[in-house]
């Protein structure tokens, strides 16, 4: 780092990571522009705005954004900033409205962003105001399987190219059923952690048997989850894959057992197994045999701040992150399964979730360490699995040999460098799409 703003924070040969990126205010300011100002950002889900004129208030980085569905059914992401003096034109979380009136002087916008009415347009402005140039600032919007993304960058690649081969894995959860998914929530809370710490944690299977030992023991005793041990993790055939900044962990399984999700227990397992078997013909048609039967998505992150399904890690300063935790469920799943997923998700990863408590305590300490002048002299060590990842014949992306590896973390910080050092999208590399997308599922569901 330095005055030239030339970021070199991860040493790919040793895995040493500069801690200053977790607390330095100038780095954070640069992130807002170079990462959150131009990456495709997950902002919500189509099911949050199902009807014409619905809106949902969300954020792109620190910027307040209104996700709207206009009268024609088209989605828009509009900066919640009146073009006059900057007042917010929406003050609530969601609703249904054809227009948004600014409560300062009354400028009124249509839900597609156009400025429609200005009090005193003839008298105060002498009919000289160019309303057509004063609509709400609009981001580009695209959806993947109902998940809505937006970017401020006109020169960004398509969302399809941005997700690249990561979609090959993501499809196995988010693009599984013909009827798509629905988002429940969100639950929101603030934590004194840097946003990158929890994104990097999405590929950290190493911490699970240690950090979550007590929570896992409770689950083993009360809901029958198999015990978690280091030995199991080290011997696991599961893997990590990395594509374009997106970190994937996945289970390589052909045992006909559904993917583990919070909400499964000895009481609900039979339901999940029946659902898995009943829907498998549809899933095979949509994803092809290999992905339907062999690939089970685990924890994952979508660059920069989309984590664990539909969960947003919204930056609120170098030392603060706002969590927005949704639960995504198959729209066509039986109510008992939706209920189990909703309760299980909150019990484990919500604000009071057992696993969340374990994780957040770690992230607070890791963030705090980066504020110490002495601590910053000593980089993080991310050397695990160096040299043990590469292309794989069956799985797209850069694939680790083991389930326990820091390969995805090293590549995440390298991707961070690529964004932070680039002047425009033309300087940000993208892996070509090479995976075979068997089956009928598309970007649109
Ligand atoms: S700030 Fe919105 S109308 Fe003046
Ligand atoms: Fe964890």
């Amino acid at each position: 780092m330095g005055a030239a703003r030339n970021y070199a924070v991860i040493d790919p040969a040793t895995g040493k990571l500069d801690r200053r990126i977790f607390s330095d205010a100038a780095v954070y300011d640069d992130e807002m522009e170079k990462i959150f100002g131009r990456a495709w950002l997950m902002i919500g889900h189509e099911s949050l705005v199902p009807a014409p004129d619905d809106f949902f208030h969300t954020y792109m980085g620190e910027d307040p954004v209104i996700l709207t569905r206009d009268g024609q059914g088209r989605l828009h992401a509009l900066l919640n900033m009146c073009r006059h003096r900057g007042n917010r034109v929406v003050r609530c979380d969601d609703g249904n409205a054809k227009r948004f009136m600014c409560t300062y002087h009354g400028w009124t916008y249509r839900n597609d962003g156009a400025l429609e009415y200005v009090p005193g347009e003839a008298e105060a402005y002498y009919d000289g105001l160019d309303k057509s140039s004063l609509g709400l600032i609009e981001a580009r919007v695209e959806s993947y399987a109902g998940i809505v993304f937006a970017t401020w960058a006109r020169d960004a690649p398509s969302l399809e190219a941005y997700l690249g081969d990561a979609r090959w894995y993501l499809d196995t959860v988010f693009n599984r059923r013909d009827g798509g998914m629905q988002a429940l929530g969100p639950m929101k809370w603030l934590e004194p952690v840097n946003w990158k710490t929890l994104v990097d944690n999405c590929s950290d299977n190493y911490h699970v048997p240690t950090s979550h030992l007590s929570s896992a023991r409770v689950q083993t005793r009360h809901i029958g989850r198999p015990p978690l041990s280091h030995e199991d993790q080290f011997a696991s055939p599961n893997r990590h894959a990395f594509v374009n900044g997106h970190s994937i962990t996945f289970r390589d399984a052909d045992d006909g057992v559904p993917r583990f999700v919070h909400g499964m227990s000895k009481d609900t397992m039979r339901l999940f197994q029946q659902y898995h078997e009943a829907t498998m013909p549809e899933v095979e048609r949509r994803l092809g045999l290999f992905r339907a039967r062999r690939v089970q998505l685990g924890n994952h992150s979508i660059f920069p701040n989309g984590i664990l399904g539909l969960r947003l890690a919204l930056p609120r300063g170098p030392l603060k992150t706002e969590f927005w935790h949704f639960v995504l469920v198959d729209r066509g799943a039986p109510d008992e399964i939706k209920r189990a997923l909703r309760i299980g998700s909150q019990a484990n990863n919500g604000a009071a979730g057992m696993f969340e408590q374990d994780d957040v305590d770690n992230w607070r300490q890791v963030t705090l360490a980066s504020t110490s002048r002495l601590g910053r002299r000593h980089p993080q060590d991310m050397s695990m699995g160096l040299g043990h990842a590469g292309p794989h014949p069956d799985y797209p992306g850069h694939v680790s040999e083991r389930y326990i590896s820091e390969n995805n973390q090293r590549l995440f910080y390298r991707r961070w460098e690529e964004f932070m050092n680039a002047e425009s999208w033309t300087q940000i590399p993208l892996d070509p799409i090479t995976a075979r997308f068997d089956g009928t599922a598309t970007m649109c569901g």
Side-chain angles (χ1 to χ4, degrees):
M1 296 192 295
R5 283 273 179 263
N6 187 15
Y7 292 92
V9 301
I10 178 89
D11 181 345
T14 63
K16 300 292 187 203
L17 177 72
D18 190 332
R19 290 184 200 277
R20 282 176 296 177
I21 63 169
F22 298 107
S23 54
D24 188 292
V27 171
Y28 177 82
D29 282 348
D30 236 9
E31 286 176 334
M32 291 307 104
E33 185 172 335
K34 292 187 167 156
I35 295 179
F36 290 89
R38 59 190 176 196
W40 279 104
L41 304 170
M42 221 193 245
I43 62 167
H45 194 271
E46 289 182 16
S47 62
L48 299 166
V49 285
D53 305 321
D54 277 352
F55 67 89
F56 174 78
H57 194 271
T58 182
Y59 285 87
M60 292 170 68
E62 290 193 340
D63 292 309
V65 165
I66 319 157
L67 169 63
T68 70
R69 188 182 288 280
D70 69 21
Q72 277 70 52
R74 290 176 308 230
L75 296 176
H76 302 269
L78 307 168
L79 185 64
N80 189 6
M81 181 192 80
C82 177
R83 294 296 301 280
H84 182 216
R85 297 286 177 82
N87 205 15
R88 289 196 181 193
V89 301
V90 167
R91 308 287 190 95
C92 58
D93 291 341
D94 52 35
N96 183 281
K98 289 185 169 38
R99 295 175 190 82
F100 305 118
M101 187 194 77
C102 175
T103 53
Y104 198 168
H105 310 95
W107 286 23
T108 302
Y109 301 85
R110 288 203 314 250
N111 61 11
D112 62 4
L115 176 58
E116 187 175 74
Y117 174 73
V118 171
E121 188 178 351
E123 301 86 343
Y125 288 96
Y126 300 90
D127 279 325
L129 192 70
D130 179 13
K131 292 213 303 287
S132 66
S133 68
L134 289 169
L136 296 174
I137 303 295
E138 184 161 9
R140 279 174 65 192
V141 178
E142 288 186 29
S143 293
Y144 157 61
I147 302 173
V148 184
F149 291 74
T151 176
W152 298 116
R154 297 289 147 203
D155 62 344
S158 67
L159 178 62
E160 184 171 15
Y162 183 82
L163 294 175
D165 283 348
R167 185 164 61 90
W168 190 86
Y169 298 97
L170 299 171
D171 275 352
T172 63
V173 170
F174 305 111
N175 227 345
R176 208 170 167 79
R177 301 287 316 275
D178 291 337
M181 302 190 88
Q182 79 188 94
L184 310 175
M187 181 188 288
K188 306 174 182 177
W189 71 100
L190 285 164
E191 289 290 347
V193 299
N194 182 272
W195 67 272
K196 296 183 289 300
T197 309
L198 43 132
V199 176
D200 133 3
N201 185 253
C202 287
S203 282
D204 191 318
N205 303 104
Y206 189 43
H207 79 285
V208 176
T210 308
S211 291
H212 299 305
L213 179 67
S214 56
S215 303
R217 279 194 179 156
V218 169
Q219 286 195 331
T220 301
R221 186 175 313 149
H222 293 286
I223 66 172
R225 188 180 183 182
L228 276 172
S229 71
H230 273 120
E231 289 69 28
D232 295 334
Q233 297 280 75
F234 295 144
S236 168
N238 304 342
R239 294 169 192 281
H240 295 184
F242 191 88
V243 183
N244 287 342
H246 318 306
S247 298
I248 305 288
T249 76
F250 65 100
R251 178 166 178 254
D252 178 350
D254 57 358
D255 52 10
V257 174
R259 162 185 190 254
F260 176 81
V261 285
H262 291 302
M264 280 180 176
S265 68
K266 53 184 185 300
D267 298 328
T268 61
M269 190 60 211
R270 199 171 50 83
L271 267 178
F272 280 94
Q273 186 69 42
Q274 282 170 351
Y275 182 63
H276 183 73
E277 287 163 16
T279 54
M280 188 47 78
E282 179 183 325
V283 178
E284 281 179 9
R285 168 171 55 75
R286 292 181 57 81
L287 305 179
L289 201 72
F290 186 83
R291 282 194 295 168
R293 295 204 168 265
R294 284 281 296 274
V295 183
Q296 293 187 352
L297 185 66
N299 291 344
H300 56 276
S301 58
I302 300 178
F303 192 88
N305 66 329
I307 56 176
L308 297 179
L310 186 55
R311 183 175 196 185
L312 310 182
L314 298 169
R316 294 289 178 261
L319 302 177
K320 200 183 280 183
T321 299
E322 185 167 332
F323 288 73
W324 282 27
H325 181 77
F326 295 87
V327 186
L328 276 182
V329 296
D330 288 347
R331 191 187 299 275
D335 285 345
E336 307 95 283
I337 287 203
K338 289 183 183 176
R339 184 167 185 276
L341 288 171
R342 187 166 49 75
I343 293 171
S345 173
Q346 289 172 67
N348 289 281
N349 289 113
M354 281 197 309
F355 280 67
E356 195 78 43
Q357 306 301 312
D358 304 335
D359 286 326
V360 164
D361 185 60
N362 295 332
W363 303 336
R364 288 181 179 195
Q365 305 298 319
V366 169
T367 300
L368 204 59
S370 73
T371 65
S372 155
R373 284 179 181 276
L374 181 68
R376 286 185 194 180
R377 288 187 210 149
H378 306 282
Q380 282 194 25
D381 185 291
M382 284 198 174
S383 59
M384 194 188 305
L386 265 170
H388 292 278
H392 188 280
D394 297 330
Y395 296 108
H398 201 76
V399 181
S400 70
E401 288 172 13
R402 292 224 161 102
Y403 200 39
I404 301 285
S405 168
E406 282 170 341
N407 190 55
N408 276 3
Q409 282 94 338
R410 286 188 293 275
L411 292 175
F412 169 72
Y413 291 108
R414 201 173 75 185
R415 187 62 169 168
W416 182 92
E417 282 180 1
E418 287 172 350
F419 268 78
M420 294 290 275
N421 289 328
E423 290 305 322
S424 72
W425 255 106
T426 55
Q427 295 173 353
I428 299 173
L430 271 186
D431 295 330
I433 295 175
T434 58
R436 269 187 50 186
F437 288 83
D438 289 343
T440 59
T442 69
M443 282 288 291
C444 303

